[in-house]
Amino acid sequence: MESALTARDRVGVQDFVLLENYTSEAAFIENLRKRFKENLIYTYIGSVLVSVNPYKELEIYSKQHMERYRGVSFYEVSPHIYAIADNSYRSLRTERKDQCILISGESGAGKTEASKKILQYYAVTCPASEQVETVKDRLLQSNPVLEAFGNAKTLRNDNSSRFGKYMDVQFDYKGAPVGGHILNYLLEKSRVVHQNHGERNFHIFYQLLEGGEEDLLRRLGLERNAQNYQYLVKGQCARVSSINDKSEWKIVRKALSVINFNDDDVEELLSIVASVLHLGNVQFAKDEQGNAQVTTENQIKYLARLLSVDSTVLRESLIHKKIIAKGEELNSPLNQEQAAYARDALAKAIYGRTFSWLVRKINKSLSYKGADMHSLGNASVIGLLDIYGFEVFQHNSFEQFCINYCNEKLQQLFIELTLKSEQEEYESEGIAWEPVQYFNNKIICDLVEEKYKGIISILDEECLRPGEATDWTFLEKLEDTVKNHPHFVTHKLGDQKTRKCLGREEFRLLHYAGEVNYSVKGFLDKNNDLLFRNLKEVMCNSGNPIVHQCFDRSELTDKKRPETAATQFKNSLAQLMEILMSKEPSYVRCIKPNDAKQAARFDEVLIRHQVKYLGLIENVRVRRAGFAYRRKYEIFLQRYKSLCPETWPNWDGRAMDGVAVLVKSLGYKPEEYKMGRTKIFIRFPKTLFATEDALEVRKQSIATFLQSRWRGYHQRQKFLHMKHSAIQIQSWWRGTVGRRKAAKRKWAVEVVRRFVKGFIYRNQPRCPENEYFLDYIRYSFLMTLHRNMPKSVLDQSWPVPPPSLREASELLREMCMKNMVWKYCRRISPEWKQQLEQKVVASEIFKDKKDNYPQSVPRLFLNTRLGNDEINTKILQQLENQALTYAVPVVKYDRKGYKPRRRQLLLSQNAAYLIEEAKLKQRIDYANLTGLILLSLLS
């Protein structure tokens, strides 16, 4: 926690005890403002946690945050609700002493959310098993059910708890939550029948109407419109934009199943909720005698069906009451006002008792059911008290009186336990205890609860005395009995200034947190909380199992007057004080930053009001009466040892001796500190601040030195690493190259050896000694042949084969030639084929018979022969009996002048014909030819 002190100018101090001007309310609030502005909603007063509602989601409740606080010393981390939860849990485990966490604050300050966060912390961080998981779920799911039936929208809070709740969470010897138990205090039953403007009834009514299934509402005789029910429109605020009743209904239904409610239980419970709504719609009118008569018979029928009672008896019970006259029971008719009172009293009784039954039902589902009795015997508990904070409204009544009385008792307990804790710590450390002056509010608690003389006793006496007792007679009795008390004043007893701000029907109490004016109107009725006997009888005969359990028939035969509401509350509060006194307490004080429920808005006037009523300044003053700061020697020495050369970097002796050397080196004055047995106590925050500032300077110098050393070390390490890496790479590469060369040389030697041996055995049959050589020779021949294959059929070249491949060589040569011929033949065209055929014929005729024949072979024959289509048809008709064997165009030269003339020469089997166009110019028989001369000199 000390690490945050260096930023105290911006975010304040994490512990109000460390404030320099700790008695200043302005300094307290300014520190709260600084932290609130930085979203630091938690601050300590010693071991007390102050929590400010941020009215927004903060990312500080994740599982990672839970693990950060788990098992960590209280002051090692920043203030948090998890630190309180974990500190209580560790104390429970290590000291084996029951713990309790007291959460207080006014409506809207975040008490309910704080208790939820604590339960969630235990659910996540505690050991788990299948049975434990069930208990965890039920502990968590009990919240939405109790909120639905016990919370309501008020002017200050959309989810205000209208009852006090104390929950014990039971842990087994392993530290796992195995059960729980809930006590409830002072449910605000009057809200069932009346709400102030801008407020609502309990959530469950609106959730049922908005989220209930159509079939369910039909069975209950309800309509979805809340405006149709008198008990839901008194505050003229049936719908609220910030509340999703339909969604909340689903959560409640799921939660009911988790905490072991079956379908019948849910149906019976909702029947009671619906009956309250129907009861509010029961209306009365006067008859001729002025007696009340029921005018809404339909509502009576619904009530009778839902509560399983006789409708006639119920109707009569609402407009009559039983009285005893001359030893006989008689039914006395009620007037319209009395009947309305009886109706509202019944509604409050049904709802209040059902809420108590609901708590008992939840307790049954949370009870420890383990078979291991040894585990049960060693179980311990952590109690969570979510109780109303000090309340001061413009109009304060009986409920505020009880709530503020409760806070007086809690303040008394808090101061006593805080002083006791301080004194025990001083004594255990061997430090002299100096008595602390503080306001002891026992005088106010006695004013309220003292037997025979206290306000509650006077109120009960006025409720029980014969005659006409009223709220005014109660006030008069107070004025007569406690008129001399310094913390009590009325309009009659006050001075002129007091009378201006105090009504005639009011009395004022000077509480530890300030003055509060209470109106006595309604005190007697609310304290009596009477329900007519005949209505009790009807409820005792109910066929609804829940109602039957809530109204015990023994009440009808018990002649003893039941305790009043104030006495019941006083007794239950006394039991609560005994419970809390038997446990080790922790405290959470919740503060509401503004009435508008807006994030980042800090209303200083409202917060000053709460700081005063929560007694926070008094708390700081008590804590600071001795020493502001205390730490174990080991922790103190470990944090500040760097400020002294003798203790840095390590101290070998006892931690206490090391701290003594350290504080001497720091120049602490004797009046600034004390040395206990295990802790050092520092009286003034400025001493700690100076030490922390010196530590920050020392840290910076050490950090600078270490950074320079680190940079040099880092660079050298980097160089050495690079050098080592280069050597490794070089070594590896040299090895790789050497291995490659050695392998290559080895391979070459082996190849040469095999080649030489094969050459020696080359003429032997194939054997292992010469097979490599022979294969190589064959391979070489084939590769040579591959590279020197003949390119045409005229190419007769062929490599000389080795002896072993001669036969194969001939076969390959023949195959190669055939392949080339085949390829050549595939490529020649019909014209080219004709040329070749003519060359063959010419070869047969002229080869070896003509000297220049070889030179004529490459020259192609010209295709000058005429086809039948080129010869005149008349000529062909004339020669039809003659088969033409040859026809060619020729040129005839005249004997005179040598004029060329185009002719056609036709050859048949017997004669030659000379043709000029369509004329047969000349026929020459072969027998008449004496010779044929060929000349190449004409062109």
Side-chain angles (χ1 to χ4, degrees):
M1 186 180 75
E2 292 87 342
S3 60
L5 292 177
T6 53
R8 59 185 179 273
D9 291 338
R10 178 174 59 86
V11 300
V13 295
Q14 294 186 350
D15 193 333
F16 286 110
V17 175
L18 298 178
L19 285 174
E20 283 289 341
N21 193 2
Y22 66 92
T23 59
S24 169
E25 187 179 80
F28 187 99
I29 293 175
E30 181 59 27
N31 189 70
L32 208 60
R33 184 202 304 275
K34 288 180 180 179
R35 297 183 62 75
F36 182 74
K37 184 179 179 181
E38 298 293 329
N39 287 328
L40 301 172
I41 64 172
Y42 296 119
T43 313
Y44 290 137
I45 303 177
S47 59
V48 177
L49 182 70
V50 178
S51 170
V52 182
N53 192 339
Y55 286 122
K56 64 180 179 180
E57 293 294 330
L58 297 178
E59 299 298 326
I60 58 173
Y61 301 108
S62 64
K63 190 173 182 181
Q64 289 75 18
H65 280 85
M66 293 182 185
E67 291 299 330
R68 180 186 173 195
Y69 286 87
R70 184 178 182 181
V72 179
S73 178
F74 188 72
Y75 292 108
E76 286 185 21
V77 286
S78 56
H80 201 289
I81 190 72
Y82 293 159
I84 294 289
D86 186 76
N87 190 56
S88 296
Y89 181 73
R90 283 188 293 110
S91 299
L92 175 80
R93 299 282 290 142
T94 56
E95 300 173 14
R96 308 304 298 175
K97 184 175 181 181
D98 290 348
Q99 305 289 312
C100 64
I101 302 175
L102 281 65
I103 307 171
S104 61
E106 74 171 55
S107 179
K111 302 187 297 298
T112 302
E113 285 300 314
S115 64
K116 287 181 185 177
K117 299 301 182 189
I118 293 172
L119 288 176
Q120 289 168 1
Y121 180 81
Y122 293 145
V124 172
T125 59
C126 292
S129 65
E130 185 175 348
Q131 179 184 353
V132 169
E133 287 299 327
T134 301
V135 173
K136 287 180 180 179
D137 289 341
R138 290 179 178 176
L139 283 170
L140 294 175
Q141 293 302 321
S142 65
N143 273 320
V145 175
L146 290 176
E147 286 180 15
F149 284 85
N151 289 23
K153 189 252 187 241
T154 65
L155 291 174
R156 297 188 175 187
N157 184 5
D158 288 347
N159 189 33
S160 176
S161 297
R162 307 318 301 163
F163 70 105
K165 181 179 71 172
Y166 175 80
M167 172 186 282
D168 270 336
V169 182
Q170 190 176 32
F171 297 84
D172 64 7
Y173 69 98
K174 298 178 183 178
V178 294
H181 188 269
I182 297 171
L183 297 176
N184 63 295
Y185 301 96
L186 195 66
L187 176 70
E188 190 185 15
K189 294 185 293 184
S190 60
R191 182 169 293 272
V192 175
V193 299
H194 176 76
Q195 308 92 43
N196 293 326
H197 183 77
E199 297 189 350
R200 299 205 313 175
N201 211 320
F202 293 103
H203 292 323
I204 187 62
F205 296 112
Y206 307 94
Q207 292 171 359
L208 173 60
L209 295 180
E210 286 291 327
E213 300 80 4
E214 292 293 341
D215 184 56
L216 173 63
L217 295 181
R218 186 169 54 256
R219 292 198 305 274
L220 300 178
L222 298 177
E223 299 175 6
R224 204 171 286 282
N225 188 1
Q227 300 293 334
N228 294 338
Y229 300 96
Q230 294 299 313
Y231 283 165
L232 303 185
V233 296
K234 299 291 180 69
Q236 299 179 5
C237 188
R239 288 186 179 273
V240 182
S241 59
S242 59
I243 300 177
N244 189 336
D245 292 310
K246 190 173 184 179
S247 174
E248 294 298 325
W249 167 257
K250 295 178 182 178
I251 295 174
V252 172
R253 284 303 303 266
K254 180 181 178 182
L256 286 170
S257 63
V258 171
I259 57 177
N260 214 22
F261 274 66
N262 57 39
D263 291 342
D264 291 340
D265 292 333
V266 174
E267 187 78 15
E268 293 158 4
L269 181 61
L270 296 180
S271 295
I272 296 174
V273 174
S275 70
V276 173
L277 294 179
H278 287 300
L279 193 56
N281 283 0
V282 173
Q283 300 297 317
F284 305 96
K286 297 179 181 178
D287 62 8
E288 295 176 356
Q289 288 78 32
N291 299 326
Q293 295 294 324
V294 175
T295 60
T296 51
E297 190 64 29
N298 196 41
Q299 302 299 329
I300 296 295
K301 292 179 180 178
Y302 276 126
L303 280 168
R305 182 169 61 83
L306 293 171
L307 298 176
S308 299
V309 296
D310 185 272
S311 60
T312 303
V313 175
L314 176 60
R315 184 194 314 105
E316 292 301 314
S317 299
L318 286 171
I319 57 178
H320 292 85
K321 70 175 181 179
K322 285 187 176 181
I323 60 173
I324 300 177
K326 298 181 181 181
E328 296 183 3
E329 284 189 356
L330 300 175
N331 282 330
S332 173
L334 303 176
N335 60 33
Q336 190 174 357
E337 183 179 348
Q338 292 171 331
Y341 172 85
R343 175 200 63 198
D344 291 346
L346 179 60
K348 290 189 290 184
I350 290 175
Y351 194 86
R353 296 190 185 202
T354 301
F355 185 79
S356 298
W357 174 88
L358 180 64
V359 172
R360 292 195 298 272
K361 177 72 173 179
I362 292 174
N363 285 337
K364 186 177 180 181
S365 73
L366 294 177
S367 62
Y368 183 72
K369 300 178 177 63
D372 188 354
M373 296 306 295
H374 176 73
S375 301
L376 182 60
N378 287 284
S380 301
V381 298
I382 295 179
L384 293 177
L385 180 64
D386 177 2
I387 201 75
Y388 4 67
F390 203 88
E391 290 190 352
V392 183
F393 300 136
Q394 187 172 0
H395 176 80
N396 302 290
S397 187
F398 179 77
E399 290 82 7
Q400 281 68 48
F401 171 76
C402 293
I403 288 171
N404 294 341
Y405 163 53
C406 173
N407 277 270
E408 286 287 356
K409 295 292 288 183
L410 290 174
Q411 177 70 5
Q412 183 184 26
L413 176 71
F414 171 66
I415 294 296
E416 288 178 1
L417 293 179
T418 300
L419 289 175
K420 179 183 176 183
S421 166
E422 287 282 293
Q423 186 173 358
E424 287 177 351
E425 184 175 20
Y426 277 51
E427 290 175 355
S428 66
E429 291 293 327
I431 296 177
W433 170 255
E434 300 175 4
V436 178
Q437 297 298 323
Y438 69 96
F439 171 65
N440 188 345
N441 67 337
K442 183 177 185 298
I443 186 173
I444 304 175
C445 295
D446 289 345
L447 170 63
V448 175
E449 65 184 9
E450 188 177 6
K451 199 171 184 180
Y452 305 124
K453 298 180 181 179
I455 294 175
I456 292 178
S457 294
I458 296 171
L459 178 61
D460 287 352
E461 182 180 341
E462 196 65 15
C463 289
L464 298 177
R465 76 174 177 83
E468 192 66 29
T470 65
D471 295 325
W472 287 96
T473 60
F474 163 63
L475 181 60
E476 291 171 359
K477 188 72 174 288
L478 280 178
E479 291 173 337
D480 292 340
T481 309
V482 295
K483 59 184 177 182
N484 296 322
H485 199 285
H487 292 269
F488 176 85
V489 67
T490 65
H491 185 276
K492 178 180 178 180
L493 301 175
D495 55 22
Q496 191 68 28
K497 182 179 179 181
T498 302
R499 291 177 180 177
K500 290 181 179 180
C501 55
L502 191 63
R504 295 181 181 276
E505 76 287 355
E506 293 180 334
F507 66 90
R508 175 182 293 171
L509 294 184
L510 279 66
H511 290 281
Y512 77 94
E515 300 174 348
V516 183
N517 297 344
Y518 298 99
S519 171
V520 296
K521 185 177 180 180
F523 259 61
L524 265 64
D525 283 342
K526 292 177 180 178
N527 188 47
N528 270 321
D529 197 20
L530 291 177
L531 182 65
F532 294 149
R533 180 184 178 86
N534 50 340
L535 287 174
K536 282 185 181 180
E537 289 179 353
V538 175
M539 293 299 105
C540 289
N541 294 323
S542 171
N544 185 304
I546 298 176
V547 177
H548 192 72
Q549 293 177 49
C550 291
F551 291 86
D552 192 350
R553 188 168 289 276
S554 62
E555 294 182 34
L556 302 177
T557 57
D558 190 0
K559 301 298 182 181
K560 184 179 179 182
R561 185 181 177 91
E563 289 183 337
T564 62
T567 299
Q568 290 178 23
F569 184 66
K570 183 180 75 171
N571 293 339
S572 62
L573 197 57
Q575 294 174 2
L576 176 62
M577 294 301 111
E578 291 180 7
I579 292 173
L580 298 180
M581 286 291 288
S582 68
K583 294 176 170 57
E584 191 73 26
S586 299
Y587 302 92
V588 179
R589 302 297 202 212
C590 299
I591 293 177
K592 180 170 63 172
N594 60 78
D595 278 327
K597 305 161 194 168
Q598 294 179 358
R601 180 177 171 184
F602 192 88
D603 187 337
E604 185 173 329
V605 174
L606 178 63
I607 290 175
R608 182 180 289 109
H609 172 87
Q610 294 173 82
V611 168
K612 180 181 179 182
Y613 286 173
L614 287 170
L616 299 182
I617 301 297
E618 181 78 2
N619 189 356
V620 175
R621 199 179 65 78
V622 169
R623 190 80 162 83
R624 276 289 299 272
F627 296 88
Y629 176 87
R630 62 209 70 180
R631 284 292 184 275
K632 288 187 175 294
Y633 289 129
E634 294 80 4
I635 297 174
F636 188 86
L637 181 62
Q638 179 64 29
R639 180 163 184 80
Y640 299 110
K641 64 182 181 180
S642 62
L643 298 178
C644 176
E646 297 177 49
T647 57
W648 176 258
N650 292 304
W651 174 261
D652 296 329
R654 294 190 310 161
M656 181 178 181
D657 298 334
V659 171
V661 172
L662 176 59
V663 297
K664 183 178 179 181
S665 175
L666 292 172
Y668 282 14
K669 297 178 181 178
E671 65 272 15
E672 292 181 334
Y673 76 99
K674 290 288 184 182
M675 302 285 285
R677 294 189 177 96
T678 65
K679 296 179 181 179
I680 179 173
F681 290 73
I682 297 177
R683 187 178 299 276
F684 306 115
K686 64 181 181 181
T687 306
L688 178 65
F689 293 162
T691 305
E692 194 63 36
D693 291 341
L695 177 64
E696 186 64 22
V697 173
R698 177 64 174 165
K699 282 182 177 179
Q700 291 177 0
S701 63
I702 292 175
T704 303
F705 172 74
L706 291 178
Q707 285 174 1
S708 63
R709 292 293 301 271
W710 169 251
R711 281 195 292 267
Y713 172 79
H714 178 69
Q715 291 299 326
R716 175 162 179 77
Q717 291 299 314
K718 185 178 179 180
F719 166 75
L720 292 176
H721 178 70
M722 292 174 65
K723 181 179 178 181
H724 175 72
S725 300
I727 293 173
Q728 288 288 97
I729 293 172
Q730 291 172 357
S731 174
W732 174 82
W733 179 246
R734 290 193 189 100
T736 300
V737 172
R739 284 189 293 273
R740 287 179 181 177
K741 287 182 178 180
K744 191 172 183 179
R745 286 194 296 269
K746 183 177 180 182
W747 173 80
V749 169
E750 183 64 25
V751 169
V752 171
R753 181 184 294 113
R754 292 172 67 186
F755 195 84
V756 171
K757 186 179 288 187
F759 180 78
I760 295 172
Y761 289 91
R762 67 186 180 281
N763 295 323
Q764 299 295 327
R766 185 178 183 85
C767 61
E769 287 77 9
N770 64 7
E771 62 180 357
Y772 176 78
F773 178 79
L774 295 178
D775 289 344
Y776 179 76
I777 293 298
R778 290 171 179 170
Y779 172 78
S780 298
F781 168 73
L782 292 174
M783 292 305 296
T784 302
L785 179 60
H786 172 71
R787 291 190 292 269
N788 299 287
M789 289 285 287
K791 299 299 187 289
S792 69
V793 293
L794 299 179
D795 186 0
Q796 298 299 316
S797 63
W798 192 263
V800 178
S804 61
L805 287 179
R806 286 173 184 165
E807 183 179 356
S809 176
E810 290 300 324
L811 292 173
L812 288 173
R813 186 172 187 177
E814 182 180 350
M815 289 173 60
C816 180
M817 184 59 67
K818 288 181 179 180
N819 184 54
M820 286 190 296
V821 170
W822 179 77
K823 287 183 178 180
Y824 181 80
C825 292
R826 288 197 61 184
R827 288 199 303 269
I828 63 175
S829 62
E831 294 79 7
W832 185 248
K833 181 178 180 182
Q834 186 180 10
Q835 285 282 344
L836 292 179
E837 289 175 348
Q838 292 174 356
K839 289 291 182 180
V840 171
V841 173
S843 176
E844 292 175 354
I845 298 172
F846 299 111
K847 188 177 182 182
D848 298 330
K849 297 178 182 179
K850 188 177 179 180
D851 293 339
N852 61 350
Y853 172 74
Q855 289 78 15
S856 68
V857 171
R859 297 177 63 187
L860 299 178
F861 293 110
L862 297 177
N863 187 12
T864 57
R865 182 174 295 190
L866 296 174
N868 288 344
D869 55 337
E870 296 177 281
I871 302 172
N872 193 281
T873 54
K874 291 181 179 181
I875 301 301
L876 291 176
Q877 290 176 359
Q878 293 177 21
L879 300 177
E880 59 181 358
N881 295 327
Q882 300 289 329
L884 297 178
T885 59
Y886 186 74
V888 65
V890 296
V891 179
K892 175 190 176 220
Y893 296 92
D894 291 343
R895 292 191 181 111
K896 295 179 180 180
Y898 298 100
K899 184 179 180 180
R901 299 185 186 277
R902 298 285 179 183
R903 300 286 188 270
Q904 289 180 342
L905 177 64
L906 305 181
L907 300 179
S908 67
Q909 294 293 332
N910 301 322
Y913 302 93
L914 194 61
I915 307 300
E916 180 183 3
E917 295 180 358
K919 296 180 181 180
L920 180 58
K921 300 293 290 183
Q922 190 177 0
R923 181 179 186 275
I924 306 172
D925 294 329
Y926 293 148
N928 298 329
L929 287 175
T930 59
L932 182 65
I933 300 172
L934 299 176
L935 298 176
S936 61
L937 302 177
L938 299 176
S939 60

